[in-house]
Amino acid sequence: MKVLLADNDAERAGLVAAALSGAAQVARIGPRESLLEGVRRAGADLVLVDMGRPDRDGLEALRALRAHAPLPVVLFVDDDDPAFMHDAIAAGVSSYNVVGASLPDVKVVIRVAVALFDRYRQMEADLRRAEEQLEERALVARAKTVLMRRHGLSEPDAYRRLRRRAMESQKRIVEVAAQIMATAEN
């Protein structure tokens, strides 16, 4: 696993890098490098960010990362701030950790963050598929309505006609429905 470490505190970053040695390749973000640039340069699989003092600019960098190169993001902060925690999670943070003075077992935190990120991505994909299926069903229903009105068919007969056209043209029913709707709108 390749981890991009974004931390302004060199001593703390060194401790984190040492804790991850053997379990991950650790790269550090450059001094004038954006988070997104660092991820691309390092080919990172995960981003570990330590914000001693969380700020809104840091959240903007996380939002840009989520939009252009979604990855699991582990965030460490020194102080508990519930409002900032909600904003950070909305920006794409997979694991929000208040550490105060002591550093937790980073390897465990990373494993949990990756698992949560993977689960979230799967749920997003499932949601997209479900939305696409609903849109397809609605399109087929509209096409059946057009056939029913145009040819005086019952709903089952309109569906059979759609299905027969799909089989004859070796297309999916939704593709035939889209063609019917395109001609109906002209």
Side-chain angles (χ1 to χ4, degrees):
M1 174 179 284
K2 295 178 184 175
V3 175
L4 179 67
L5 179 56
D7 189 348
N8 292 331
D9 184 324
E11 183 180 339
R12 185 174 51 207
L15 290 172
V16 171
L20 291 174
S21 71
Q25 294 176 350
V26 178
R28 290 192 178 159
I29 194 161
R32 289 186 181 86
E33 194 173 42
S34 75
L35 194 56
L36 186 56
E37 292 166 342
V39 163
R40 289 182 174 153
R41 174 189 48 80
D45 301 310
L46 179 133
V47 177
L48 197 148
V49 180
D50 197 315
M51 292 183 176
R53 291 201 171 105
D55 60 18
R56 301 297 169 201
D57 291 338
L59 286 182
E60 285 308 312
L62 294 173
R63 284 186 190 96
L65 181 66
R66 179 178 176 200
H68 300 291
L71 293 172
V73 176
V74 175
L75 178 64
F76 292 107
V77 295
D78 291 340
D79 298 311
D80 185 20
D81 181 346
F84 185 81
M85 177 192 66
H86 286 280
D87 292 343
I89 290 170
V93 169
S94 305
S95 177
Y96 181 91
N97 306 276
V98 179
V99 294
S102 65
L103 189 64
D105 184 353
V106 178
K107 292 175 191 174
V108 172
V109 171
I110 286 174
R111 282 195 305 270
V112 170
V114 168
L116 288 171
F117 177 81
D118 290 345
R119 178 69 179 132
Y120 178 75
R121 296 290 289 182
Q122 182 61 50
M123 289 171 53
E124 281 183 325
D126 292 347
L127 177 60
R128 273 193 303 277
R129 273 193 302 278
E131 288 171 341
E132 289 169 4
Q133 288 174 349
L134 286 173
E135 289 172 13
E136 289 177 357
R137 288 180 183 177
L139 180 61
V140 169
R142 288 194 307 273
K144 284 191 300 187
T145 301
V146 167
L147 291 175
M148 290 164 56
R149 287 184 185 148
R150 193 181 287 166
H151 302 289
L153 299 172
S154 67
E155 190 272 337
D157 289 337
Y159 183 77
R160 279 192 282 280
R161 184 174 284 193
L162 266 174
R163 189 176 63 196
R164 186 176 57 245
R165 281 189 188 176
M167 288 190 306
E168 289 170 355
S169 63
Q170 296 183 347
K171 294 182 179 178
R172 295 177 57 223
I173 289 177
V174 71
E175 293 173 289
V176 173
Q179 290 173 339
I180 289 170
M181 293 308 298
T183 58
E185 293 170 357
N186 292 332

